[in-house]
Amino acid sequence: MNLDIVTYAIPFLLVGAKTTLLIALFGIVLGFPFGIVVGLGRGSKNRVLRNICDSYCAIFRGTPMLVQIFIIYYGLAQVSFIRHNPVLWWLIGEGLNAAILAVVLNTGAYTAEIFRTAFLSLPKGLIEAAEACGMSPWHVFTRVKFPLALRQALPAYSSEAAIVVKESSLASTITVLEITGYAKRLMSETFAIMDIFIITAALYLAMNVVALTALKLLERRLSFVR
Amino acid sequence: MLAEFWILMVERGWALALLRGSAVTIAIGLLGMFLGFVVATPLAVLRWQKVAVVSQLVDSYSIVVRGVPGLLVIYLLFFGSVDMVKTVATAFGYQDSVDNAYPYIVGVIAIAAISCAYSIEVIRGALQAVPYGLLEAAKSLALPTGITFSRITFPLALRLALGGINNVWQMTIKDTSLISVIGLQELMRTAAIGAGITRSPFIFYCIAAALFFGMTAVSQTLFSRAERALNRGFGAR
């Protein structure tokens, strides 16, 4: 490894890491509750709502994230209604905002799938017991259904969180310079392909390890058996 | 609106170009998946048998590739090999043919490298899930190790692995879209070119999304059918 190139590359990649973290953090913080809401919608008794949520999930899980990010950034910018609406234009027009929107919508669909199965797997007896105690539907949800479903869903969600970190790399295709974007630039600039790859991979692995460890700790805290 | 769409797709021939792009996407996806699976199977067996050193190497390969974005793997393979291939090709006078075929080769290798890492985990998990009693029964019948593996362990593991293979395939076909960044003319790249020339990205990317959706939907039904066929006789699941 060439030390000059490493010292030259690391500051750039750290700047990129900040953007990656920003996108991933927004993706998890916004995508998690959004996914839960959609997951609940897929289990609702209202047929229209259920169909809307089902097709949203099918579409976003069935197409590549790259297509989604291109439709949001390049495609929607063509619609004049969106161009003339300041709020929507702020959301779509800026590369970073469009990337965050795409990540949130994408991870929302996968999170919804995880939580739908988690809500389906809840034992019926517990919910009936809660209802027999006279709990309101809201209380049944916040005190019984949600805590149990969260425990069910966490292991699957932790791999989804790692996927969010990786998917944020697609922001580099719409001019947002995050880790992968800088890595590409540095690779074609310095030709030290392997060196740059090793540093970049180490950064991604570090982020994933931190995210996975945090979720594992949460999982252990929430589990019944300590 | 509809007339405009007709002119764009049929008279200017974009529909054909997009379909050709889809064919390339499917070909690259299948080839990459197949190569990845063929390489992953022996690696997974080594990992399953816990062969010292090799097992750790396989593990670290799979962890690195699964922990890093696919885009980065593609950049590594593309930039990492472009120089070497150029010098070799120029030395032998195959400059032109290599320039044309190069993105395809790198594309297939990149897709194979990514799907291989995921396949290793799937196959290893399936091998571990084969009931131990069956292997003991094979041992008590004095079957040689090779026969035990090819007649009992592997077929049973394949059935258990099908769900995971389905996931890997769905991911692989979606990952092929990433190859467009190195200039391979598959579906995504064709859509991007069409979007640039006609200045209507919305239509083109939506069509690309619809085509990808069609591919994943069709393969999903095929896999569910295969799963039902393989689970025949194993009781309702």
Side-chain angles (χ1 to χ4, degrees), chain A residues 138-210:
Chain A
W138 171 249
H139 269 154
V140 173
F141 178 73
T142 53
R143 303 224 173 130
V144 181
K145 281 188 189 167
F146 181 67
L148 287 171
L150 188 65
R151 288 178 173 87
Q152 277 288 328
L154 261 185
Y157 187 75
S158 60
S159 61
E160 176 57 28
I163 290 174
V164 169
V165 173
K166 288 195 287 170
E167 296 281 68
S168 70
S169 70
L170 292 181
S172 69
T173 58
I174 54 168
T175 69
V176 179
L177 277 175
E178 40 67 75
I179 301 184
T180 305
Y182 273 115
K184 185 200 174 190
R185 221 172 71 176
L186 289 165
M187 277 180 184
S188 53
E189 204 175 279
T190 61
F191 294 109
I193 317 290
M194 207 59 206
D195 302 11
I196 307 277
F197 177 80
I198 289 169
I199 306 169
T200 316
L203 279 173
Y204 271 114
L205 289 180
M207 279 184 210
N208 277 336
V209 165
V210 168

Side-chain angles (χ1 to χ4, degrees), chain A residues 58 61-64 66-67 70-71 74-76 78 110 166 169-170 172 180 183-184 187 193 197 200-201 204 208, chain B residues 63-64 66-69 71-72 75-76 79-80 118 174 177-178 180 188 199-202 205-206 209 212-213 216:
Chain A
R61 278 154 41 88
T63 56
L66 191 66
V67 179
F70 275 13
I71 288 180
Y74 295 118
L76 290 182
Q78 225 191 338
Y110 286 92
K166 288 195 287 170
S169 70
L170 292 181
S172 69
T180 305
K184 185 200 174 190
M187 277 180 184
I193 317 290
F197 177 80
T200 316
Y204 271 114
N208 277 336
Chain B
I63 286 173
V64 167
R66 287 184 308 140
V68 152
L71 211 52
L72 199 64
Y75 285 141
L76 169 75
F79 289 123
Y118 286 88
K174 284 186 265 173
S177 67
L178 300 179
S180 64
M188 199 58 209
R199 292 180 180 279
S200 39
F202 188 65
Y205 290 133
C206 280
F212 269 114
F213 186 72
T216 50

